[in-house]
Amino acid sequence: MIRIEVGLGERSYPVVVGAGALRPLPELVPRRVGRTAVVTQAGIGVAADTGRPQRTFEIGDGEAAKTLATVEMLCRAWSSWGLTRGDAVIAVGGGVVTDVAGFAAAVYHRGVPVVHVPTTMLGMVDAAIGGKTGVNLPEGKNLVGVFWQPAAVVCDTDTLATLPERERRSGMGEMAKYHFLAEEDLMSLPLDERIAACVRLKADVVARDECEEVGRPRGRAVLNYGHTLAHALETVTRTPGQPDVSHGEAVAVGLVYAAELARRLDRIDDARVEEHYKVVRDYGLPDRLPPLQGVRPVDLVELMARDKKAVEGLTFVLDGSGGPEVVAGVDAAVAEKTLATVAGEGRRAR
Ligand SMILES: NC(=O)c1ccc[n+]([C@@H]2O[C@H](COP(=O)([O-])OP(=O)(O)OC[C@H]3O[C@@H](n4cnc5c(N)ncnc54)[C@H](O)[C@@H]3O)[C@@H](O)[C@H]2O)c1
Ligand SMILES: [Zn+2]
């Protein structure tokens, strides 16, 4: 079993990664905890024995379940069961479960401990680590939430066996992003070590910038590498008639786009751009934009300029000699021209 510490002073916690990591769950739940409320979804089927009296609370599937109504439902059900501040919440599932259960735990009785048991690749390398919790509003994703660090995170790779192929691939897109934040070659590592390496990278960033302060070029925002185009692509493909693109696929295209953009701005060389294509392809992920109906490059640039993480004008996380960092004020014409290199068939000849 691999153990990583997220170093946040009093709020530090362990992340354990490996096959069978769930077995020592009773010891990872804080000692003083009496009962545990396990939050999960119907299709997950991962048994988490916390070694204490426990009850399971199911929430719905997908983004539609990430609502304040679900938080209210959970808090009311916990209250009916008599859950107190001496008890804890155990979130067993993907990012939807850990985001919602984490938020509900943060606000129930003004905060009860939560242990995350991520059961998706994306959950293990991203959503369950770092303490961001929250729900969606009709006006947008993740608009309501708080930072609430878990007491522990348990990444049992055995749970991934039942993950649908599409979800696994989507998680790979998130993992691909870490290849460019890492100094070692992640591809050569076995899966558990690779997940642990991603966790370590995220833990380091979170320890530097726990609450994502605005204006830190190498703060938490670097975790958004590849996400500026990805978010724009996800926005346009949500409408009927557009191709179905998973988050990880969108991130994969976003990564090669960010690399091409950094190349155009003379921040990296051709070999580094090539590395981006190689990683994305090795994961079997797309390195081109899908055919979009009636969407012009300028529309994507406009959407990217409206990204909620944008500080001033067009803002990207771009690779450079010191690794990816936040770069504000990118020229819209350059961003638009670069879109052509990741559109259509085949790669631009160099
Ligand atoms: N808090 C953060 O820092 C953070 C970071 C990244 C993403 N997120 C959030 O994470 C969410 C996406 O998470 P996700 O990709 O894990 O999707 P998800 O939670 O919707 O899970 C995907 C699907 O897989 C099912 N599933 C989960 N584990 C399974 C298993 N082991 N076997 C079979 N089925 C299983 C789920 O029930 C669901 O239907 C988004 O809402 C996003 O906003 C949060
Ligand atoms: Zn992502």
Side-chain angles (χ1 to χ4, degrees):
M1 214 73 68
I2 309 168
R3 192 183 166 104
I4 299 131
E5 197 72 15
V6 183
L8 291 167
E10 288 180 333
R11 291 180 303 289
S12 296
Y13 52 94
V15 181
V16 293
V17 183
L22 261 171
R23 255 173 271 131
L25 179 63
E27 290 93 75
L28 288 162
V29 175
R31 204 165 308 140
R32 62 171 186 83
V33 165
R35 295 183 300 170
T36 51
V38 176
V39 178
T40 191
Q41 287 165 329
I44 293 176
V46 169
D49 177 8
T50 64
R52 295 159 170 80
Q54 64 186 76
R55 189 179 280 193
T56 299
F57 300 82
E58 274 183 15
I59 65 167
D61 204 51
E63 289 300 314
K66 259 181 86 168
T67 60
L68 287 167
T70 305
V71 173
E72 180 176 1
M73 180 279 286
L74 282 175
C75 291
R76 291 183 64 181
W78 294 343
S79 180
S80 297
W81 187 41
L83 197 78
T84 71
R85 288 180 56 82
D87 301 325
V89 171
I90 316 293
V92 181
V96 166
V97 171
T98 53
D99 274 13
V100 173
F103 182 52
V107 293
Y108 183 74
H109 280 255
R110 301 194 178 79
V112 296
V114 63
V115 173
H116 288 318
V117 181
T119 61
T120 63
M121 197 76 88
L122 179 137
M124 292 183 188
V125 300
D126 199 354
I129 318 291
K132 275 194 187 178
T133 71
V135 296
N136 305 327
L137 291 180
E139 286 74 15
K141 267 195 71 164
N142 300 326
L143 285 183
V144 179
V146 292
F147 288 97
W148 187 246
Q149 298 295 343
V153 181
V154 182
C155 305
D156 188 335
T157 51
D158 285 343
T159 66
L160 297 173
T162 51
L163 201 60
E165 185 49 31
R166 181 187 154 84
E167 297 302 335
R168 182 191 306 277
R169 266 167 53 80
S170 184
M172 292 297 187
E174 210 65 61
M175 193 176 247
K177 150 188 109 178
Y178 287 102
H179 284 247
F180 309 101
L181 302 174
E183 275 158 25
E184 56 178 333
D185 172 23
L186 300 185
M187 207 57 103
S188 59
L189 301 174
L191 186 68
D192 57 342
E193 284 179 32
R194 203 183 318 164
I195 291 171
C198 296
V199 169
R200 214 170 280 122
L201 286 162
K202 177 146 187 185
D204 287 350
V205 174
V206 168
R208 278 205 305 272
D209 181 20
E210 184 181 2
C211 298
E212 192 157 1
E213 270 176 53
V214 176
R216 285 205 186 180
R218 288 187 205 279
R220 226 173 143 137
V222 298
L223 298 167
N224 247 28
Y225 192 40
H227 280 62
T228 311
L229 178 59
H231 289 151
L233 188 53
E234 287 181 299
T235 302
V236 299
T237 54
R238 257 196 294 275
T239 54
Q242 300 291 1
D244 177 32
V245 179
S246 74
H247 179 67
E249 289 169 338
V251 171
V253 183
L255 289 171
V256 291
Y257 173 71
E260 294 278 12
L261 188 54
R263 176 72 192 93
R264 230 175 242 269
L265 297 173
D266 269 331
R267 299 177 54 91
I268 56 172
D269 60 16
D270 287 345
R272 183 69 169 166
V273 178
E274 211 45 57
E275 241 180 86
H276 283 71
Y277 280 96
K278 182 169 174 5
V279 167
V280 163
R281 286 178 187 151
D282 284 354
Y283 278 117
L285 293 165
D287 60 6
R288 338 256 345 131
L289 284 168
L292 300 167
Q293 299 306 316
V295 179
R296 299 162 303 165
V298 67
D299 301 328
L300 287 174
V301 172
E302 237 164 65
L303 279 170
M304 291 195 283
R306 273 194 268 142
D307 194 280
K308 69 174 176 202
K309 308 249 165 143
V311 259
E312 48 179 285
L314 264 174
T315 303
F316 290 91
V317 178
L318 293 178
D319 204 1
S321 52
E325 62 176 327
V326 177
V327 178
V330 172
D331 185 344
V334 176
E336 192 182 324
K337 224 180 274 166
T338 308
L339 278 172
T341 62
V342 295
E345 298 298 309
R347 293 227 2 235
R348 177 171 62 108
R350 282 185 200 289

